[in-house]
């Protein structure tokens, strides 16, 4: 939502259908119409306003932070894919994956915690 409307003024311009599209993109499935209307009403309600120069600076900051968060999400997804690929080739992966709550992402952490120390000669 913040990508589309980083400032209060731009938020007020969002239509309910635009809000609904953003909610769907964010993974929301239930009570969309009601939630979209509530968000729209909140964005249009009277609020204290900051001077335009300050609002513009905050909007630029929000825009930059959204870009950072999107890149972090992409990097996390890339890391998870690599973990899945690597962990599936581990000789004990099937055992770890059979444990409730362990999947491709927490599995490697569990397996590294359970490694037996090498025998010393």
């Amino acid at each position: 939502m913040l990508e589309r409307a980083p400032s209060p003024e731009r938020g007020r311009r969002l239509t309910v259908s635009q809000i609904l599209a953003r909610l769907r993109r964010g993974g929301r499935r239930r009570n969309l119409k009601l939630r979209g209307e509530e968000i729209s009403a909140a964005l249009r309600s009277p609020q204290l306003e900051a001077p335009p120069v300050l609002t513009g600076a905050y909007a630029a900051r929000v825009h930059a932070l959204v870009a950072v968060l999107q890149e972090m999400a992409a990097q996390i997804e890339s890391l998870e894919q690599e973990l899945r690929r690597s962990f599936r080739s581990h000789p004990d992966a099937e055992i770890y994956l059979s444990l409730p709550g362990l999947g491709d992402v927490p599995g490697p952490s569990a397996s590294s915690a359970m490694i037996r120390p090498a025998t010393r000669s």
Side-chain angles (χ1 to χ4, degrees):
M1 193 73 64
L2 290 174
E3 178 184 24
R4 183 79 174 184
S7 69
E9 186 259 323
R10 288 186 59 190
R12 283 189 290 273
R13 285 193 260 150
L14 290 176
T15 65
V16 174
S17 62
Q18 290 172 322
I19 293 170
L20 293 176
R22 290 289 166 175
L23 290 174
R24 283 188 194 96
R25 181 181 285 174
R28 303 287 182 163
R29 300 284 179 251
R30 298 173 45 191
N31 302 320
L32 285 178
K33 186 168 174 33
L34 175 64
R35 190 68 182 136
E37 290 169 353
E38 289 173 347
I39 292 170
S40 178
L43 290 170
R44 288 172 176 74
S45 68
Q47 299 176 23
L48 295 174
E49 296 280 332
V53 68
L54 187 58
T55 303
Y58 278 121
R61 183 178 178 191
V62 167
H63 182 73
L65 288 172
V66 166
V68 168
L69 290 171
Q70 288 173 332
E71 182 59 29
M72 287 177 66
Q75 292 299 319
I76 289 169
E77 179 60 32
S78 174
L79 176 61
E80 287 178 351
Q81 288 175 2
E82 180 60 28
L83 279 173
R84 279 186 203 96
R85 188 190 63 72
S86 297
F87 185 60
R88 293 289 173 145
S89 66
H90 187 282
D92 295 331
E94 189 175 326
I95 295 168
Y96 291 114
L97 291 172
S98 70
L99 297 172
L102 288 185
D104 291 322
V105 175
S109 296
S111 70
S112 67
M114 294 181 209
I115 292 177
R116 294 184 216 144
T119 344
R120 295 184 186 209
S121 3

